[in-house]
Amino acid sequence: MSQDKVIITCAITGAIHTPSMSPHLPITPEHITREAVAAAEAGAAILHLHARDPDNGKPDQTPEAFARFLPEVKRSTNAVINITSGGSPYMRVEERVKPAAQFKPEVASLNMGSINFGLYHLLNKYKEFKFDWEREHLEATRDLVFRNSFKDIEYILSTCYDNGTRFEFECYDIAHLYNLAHFADRGLVKAPFFVQSVFGLLGGIGTHPEDVIHMRRTADRLFGADYRWSVLGAGASQFRIAAQSVAMGGNVRVGLEDSLWAGKGRLAQSNAEQVRSVRQMIEGLGMQVATPDDARRILQLKGGDQVAF
């Protein structure tokens, strides 16, 4: 479904990349806050947030970890705050949903199906690690299924739905669109659906232009005018897939959660650098970048004054 303005989501830190991969990956609450505010100032309408242990960078899904930066990010920017319910693939769903349940954000992410979740191939690229957990974190994904069963999805929906929180439905493959359609048919989710198509993670759909088109056509067929489409391309495919989405009337997600790079062999110095680059591309294609309030209108969000932080 096309719209008049392009929503940029920025995913600030995530749970995939480890501290040794980039010195610019934000880990501490102060760094996450600075990065989030700068990304919003650069043009991101939505900030997709994870938390980490400030001592070693390990993903931390406790509400206490989020409480260290959520109020300051909210105070410092009008951007829509999106709290992950994906957390880390190693976490149980009860742990993953706690921050979104407690803080009642305008948006929470929701993964729409289980997949093999391979990161172990990155061991060929990074030989030395600052922290012991990093190598183990990558190696263990040879035998990792990121569980998002129908029961898990229902649990997150039922836990958060009365809070007025809408969802960024993360779809890593075509089947995940059908899973979303299943929940729509049951009346458990309401339009407009914010569909975030994820390309390039090992275990999910690939990054070929035909893959992107296939996702879009399938979503169009299943949801018609009832959804808003966004894409994220992992790693080197980030900007190419973003450009394809914008050309097709869609939205984009960037950020150091999805890619550490600003160009071939060049690490991004910040999340804002990626936001500025994608903004320049959007405007170069003759489109306008959505403000946070534009995003609230397009996605029918409850408003930043209705959150619990």
Side-chain angles (χ1 to χ4, degrees):
M1 180 68 188
S2 297
Q3 62 199 36
D4 53 345
K5 295 184 179 180
V6 179
I7 298 170
I8 301 174
T9 296
C10 188
I12 301 298
T13 187
I16 291 175
H17 296 121
T18 70
S20 298
M21 296 179 183
S22 172
H24 310 297
L25 184 70
I27 290 168
T28 66
E30 296 78 15
H31 196 185
I32 290 170
T33 300
R34 286 198 309 274
E35 286 286 301
V37 172
E41 290 172 348
I46 300 176
L47 301 171
H48 174 103
L49 298 177
H50 288 241
R52 290 179 181 259
D53 182 322
D55 294 326
N56 62 15
K58 197 169 186 178
D60 184 345
Q61 198 66 8
T62 61
E64 293 76 18
F66 283 80
R68 296 183 187 114
F69 56 78
L70 285 176
E72 183 62 22
V73 174
K74 182 190 173 191
R75 189 188 68 78
S76 302
T77 174
N78 184 41
V80 174
I81 293 175
N82 172 348
I83 295 178
T84 180
S85 78
S88 164
Y90 295 103
M91 299 172 180
R92 291 178 54 81
V93 68
E94 293 84 0
E95 179 183 2
R96 288 160 41 192
V97 78
K98 280 183 179 177
Q102 178 169 326
F103 295 115
K104 302 176 174 57
E106 292 183 81
V107 181
S109 66
L110 178 52
N111 295 354
M112 291 310 296
S114 303
I115 58 167
N116 291 340
F117 202 88
L119 304 172
Y120 61 89
H121 57 290
L122 295 174
L123 288 166
N124 297 326
K125 189 170 187 178
Y126 301 98
K127 301 303 182 186
E128 296 189 7
F129 295 96
K130 297 177 186 175
F131 303 106
D132 292 341
W133 72 269
E134 296 180 77
R135 186 181 299 278
E136 179 184 347
H137 168 82
L138 299 175
E139 179 60 44
T141 65
R142 291 182 194 273
D143 193 33
L144 177 66
V145 175
F146 190 5
R147 176 188 158 130
N148 296 282
S149 68
F150 291 113
K151 183 179 179 181
D152 292 343
I153 294 168
E154 285 185 25
Y155 179 77
I156 292 172
L157 289 172
S158 64
T159 302
C160 296
Y161 210 77
D162 289 341
N163 297 336
T165 296
R166 281 194 170 273
F167 295 95
E168 173 197 22
F169 294 107
E170 296 199 11
C171 296
Y172 294 77
D173 218 333
I174 295 298
H176 296 182
L177 296 173
Y178 283 91
N179 293 349
L180 177 57
H182 163 78
F183 285 103
D185 289 344
R186 291 174 56 193
L188 296 179
V189 294
K190 296 177 185 174
F193 312 122
F194 186 36
V195 175
Q196 189 72 256
S197 294
V198 183
F199 301 91
L201 279 170
L202 184 60
I205 199 168
T207 61
H208 193 279
E210 289 290 341
D211 294 324
V212 181
I213 292 168
H214 185 32
M215 270 276 202
R216 179 61 189 267
R217 284 175 176 161
T218 304
D220 279 349
R221 178 164 45 78
L222 290 173
F223 308 118
D226 287 339
Y227 85 108
R228 302 294 178 265
W229 189 54
S230 183
V231 304
L232 74 90
S237 64
Q238 184 180 66
F239 286 103
R240 175 173 56 77
I241 287 177
Q244 189 173 353
S245 175
V246 174
M248 296 168 71
N251 304 284
V252 299
R253 182 174 125 174
V254 295
L256 298 184
E257 171 173 352
D258 305 333
S259 173
L260 297 174
W261 306 97
K264 190 170 179 60
R266 184 166 61 87
L267 286 172
Q269 302 289 302
S270 67
N271 283 276
E273 181 179 2
Q274 291 185 354
V275 174
R276 285 191 293 269
S277 294
V278 82
R279 177 174 193 154
Q280 185 176 28
M281 180 192 73
I282 290 164
E283 292 173 343
L285 290 170
M287 306 289 285
Q288 285 185 290
V289 171
T291 66
D293 286 336
D294 290 330
R296 291 182 172 98
R297 169 181 58 82
I298 293 165
L299 301 177
Q300 298 181 19
L301 304 180
K302 64 180 180 178
D305 60 337
Q306 301 296 310
V307 301
F309 57 89

